[in-house]
Amino acid sequence: QVQLVESGGGLVQPGGSLRLSCAASGSILDIYTMGWYRQTPGKQRDLVATITSGGNANYQDSVKGRFTISRDNAKKTIYLQMNNLNSEDTAVYFCNADVRLTSRSRVNVWGQGSQVTVSS
């Protein structure tokens, strides 16, 4: 069984910063693309940023220049550094990973979600 455990969410003022972390654990052979998504009530879950095992990153346009995704393959962990936050960044942030369990088994896994609230 694979688990993604997120940490680092919370309340921050507009213009402030937060750093999210997501660590994978379990019987894992390999991890491919990992990423962050976010969701607000009544809306679909949207991509924020993804990163491949080789370090290639992709961002939603609204966060480019403000958010940075990074990855530590040895720790099976990704991070999302969020700067210059605004109220539109308020959401539940979910970690996602494309995981190979065995030579025949590959799964897509979600974390439990971490609330980020930007408010004065």
Side-chain angles (χ1 to χ4, degrees), residues 15-103:
S17 298
L18 278 176
R19 188 191 195 209
L20 301 179
S21 299
C22 170
S25 64
S27 181
I28 298 170
L29 191 62
D30 203 355
I31 306 178
Y32 303 113
T33 298
M34 298 182 75
W36 292 96
Y37 293 72
R38 65 188 181 186
Q39 188 172 25
T40 55
K43 295 189 176 181
Q44 68 179 22
R45 192 171 295 183
D46 291 329
L47 180 147
V48 176
T50 61
I51 187 166
T52 67
S53 57
N56 291 317
N58 178 55
Y59 297 92
Q60 180 194 98
D61 285 346
S62 68
V63 307
K64 285 181 180 178
R66 301 187 298 122
F67 290 12
T68 301
I69 189 170
S70 59
R71 178 169 177 161
D72 185 331
N73 289 326
K75 294 182 178 180
K76 300 184 181 66
T77 299
I78 60 169
Y79 308 92
L80 186 68
Q81 177 66 43
M82 304 183 290
N83 298 327
N84 194 21
L85 286 158
N86 60 61
S87 59
E88 294 185 350
D89 297 315
T90 295
V92 178
Y93 284 69
F94 294 90
C95 177
N96 177 268
D98 182 10
V99 179
R100 179 163 293 285
L101 304 178
T102 70
S103 62

Side-chain angles (χ1 to χ4, degrees), residues 98-119:
D98 182 10
V99 179
R100 179 163 293 285
L101 304 178
T102 70
S103 62
R104 296 185 178 185
S105 177
R106 185 168 174 173
V107 297
N108 190 267
V109 185
W110 289 94
Q112 81 280 6
S114 184
Q115 177 69 47
V116 171
T117 302
V118 184
S119 175

